[in-house]
Amino acid sequence: MTHASRFASGLASVAAGAALAVVATRSLREARRAPPIAKHVAAARAFNHGSALLALSVLADSAMEHYRGSFQNPAMYGALASATAALGASLHGGADRSEASHAVRHAVQLAAAATGTAGTAFHLYNVRKRPGGWSWHNLFYGAPAGAPFALLLSGALGAIAEQLRDEPEHDPRLFGMPAGKTLALIAGAGLLGTAAEAALLHFRGAYQHPAMYVPVVVAPAGAALLVHAALATPEPARRLRGFARLWLRITTALGFAGAGFHANGVARAQGGWRNWSQNLLAGPPLPAPPAFSALAVAGLAALRLRETEQ
């Protein structure tokens, strides 16, 4: 592939990512024009949207990775089934404007969180049992812990959304704390975990492109802003409120743009997209970057709810 064609492919990929971000922003604006709903229900629906995007990312990523592993362990099918169910439950919850939780959705999301927990433990065990045990090589090329952890996050966001719907509108609380505070801490922790996975894989890629530094800088900064919003007293939190919202919107766009950069990475491999059956499996994972967008959307919902608490 010539330099010009690579540049054109990269430009098209980034444009596609930007287009997806624009579509997502328009969808959020349309949702705001709908008749008003209770603030905690709006936050719950936003968490459902984040959960859906995470579940879709896990479904696509696990399908490719487990296919590459030839589905040697029957439990590999369980991840796909759980992610599919979580995606359906999250989409249903994202469209639900009622103030009551849904028992089936709640059960599906709890099951997804449990599946993600078991998958994370199994993937870490897979790394540990390889020759050499805990080493950089095995962390790079063993079973990735990021995908099942994302399923855990997807289920957790969906389950929390269901729990939040049952809270009183005037003073919603989660785990004994104001709901906005709890949601900000959860979204911040999720961003940190996702950034850690990106840092590991980009380190494996030797940070050969300057853009590879962006997610490991932007996402932790967004997590820090969420933790500050959760723990700071009202006046310092108010001063950073607008900046935090802007930063999380940048993080949302980052996830879609990252998918474009990963698509460009696939195009640059030998054979490009003509050899997609091999390059999709060997190249940078396309479904991974939107996880940043999912958690940033949840973080924005947490900020909106936190503002009403302060």
Side-chain angles (χ1 to χ4, degrees), residues 273-290:
W273 284 101
R274 295 189 302 276
N275 190 25
W276 63 269
S277 60
Q278 178 177 337
N279 289 339
L280 274 178
L281 298 176
L286 285 178

Side-chain angles (χ1 to χ4, degrees), residues 102-204:
H102 192 286
V104 175
R105 286 201 313 253
H106 203 172
V108 167
Q109 301 290 12
L110 289 175
T115 303
T117 303
T120 302
F122 185 81
H123 280 209
L124 292 176
Y125 169 74
N126 177 273
V127 172
R128 176 66 181 83
K129 74 175 185 178
R130 292 165 67 94
W134 293 106
S135 67
W136 285 114
H137 182 274
N138 289 339
L139 284 172
F140 289 154
Y141 299 105
F149 180 72
L151 181 58
L152 165 60
L153 282 176
S154 175
L157 293 185
I160 288 169
E162 296 303 321
Q163 185 177 346
L164 184 58
R165 289 174 186 271
D166 288 333
E167 291 296 309
E169 180 181 359
H170 65 280
D171 185 26
R173 303 183 73 83
L174 290 170
F175 308 114
M177 296 186 292
K181 180 177 182 178
T182 305
L183 298 180
L185 291 173
I186 291 171
L191 276 174
L192 278 180
T194 307
E197 175 74 6
L200 179 67
L201 296 180
H202 288 186
F203 179 68
R204 184 181 72 179

